[in-house]
Amino acid sequence: MQLSLRSLHNSYSPDQTPTFVLTAKNSSGSDCKVDLGPKSAVLTITEAGGSADFWSSADCPKSSASVFYRVSAGGSVTYTLKWDRKPSAPECATPAAGSAGAGTYLVEAEASGFAKAQTSFVLASD
């Protein structure tokens, strides 16, 4: 199994919602099972050059349950995430006010047993 991550667009205007597509591809000759639930597959967004996460799917997931997908031999499954540009905070603490400003951002996906997948995107100003 291999994970890949892409942004639906390279750049988003202020009225567009950043959207990311996580794909798990099975290159083996038999069916596999993959868990893309919030405890197993974590997406984080950081501003380029920054060290702290601006948003993470692990900070306050609506559900912590596993989300298993059956991936047929040679097949793939996709998971789409839309980001509202708002920050998050660990352990459901109150995040900082406001939303992400214009700039370049890095989105990264980490899932147990897989290599990290990442891509970048731009939030454009007016």
Side-chain angles (χ1 to χ4, degrees):
M1 291 287 270
Q2 180 179 353
L3 283 183
S4 63
L5 180 66
R6 69 180 178 87
S7 178
L8 207 54
H9 302 289
N10 291 331
S11 181
Y12 295 89
S13 65
D15 62 334
Q16 291 179 307
T17 302
T19 304
F20 313 105
V21 179
L22 179 64
T23 302
K25 183 176 181 180
N26 180 0
S27 56
S28 76
S30 59
D31 292 358
C32 292
K33 181 170 66 170
V34 63
D35 182 2
L36 296 180
K39 290 231 184 216
S40 298
V42 176
L43 275 76
T44 56
I45 297 173
T46 56
E47 192 165 5
S51 59
D53 295 343
F54 189 84
W55 179 89
S56 173
S57 62
D59 281 346
C60 194
K62 289 181 173 80
S63 167
S64 60
S66 294
V67 181
F68 288 103
Y69 291 90
R70 184 178 141 284
V71 187
S72 60
S76 63
V77 294
T78 59
Y79 173 78
T80 302
L81 171 79
K82 293 184 178 199
W83 178 47
D84 62 5
R85 300 180 185 228
K86 303 235 185 289
S88 65
E91 299 178 16
C92 296
T94 302
S99 60
T104 301
Y105 290 80
L106 176 70
V107 59
E108 186 174 82
E110 281 189 86
S112 180
F114 295 94
K116 285 182 187 178
Q118 61 186 20
T119 190
S120 61
F121 63 99
V122 173
L123 295 181
S125 57
D126 295 338

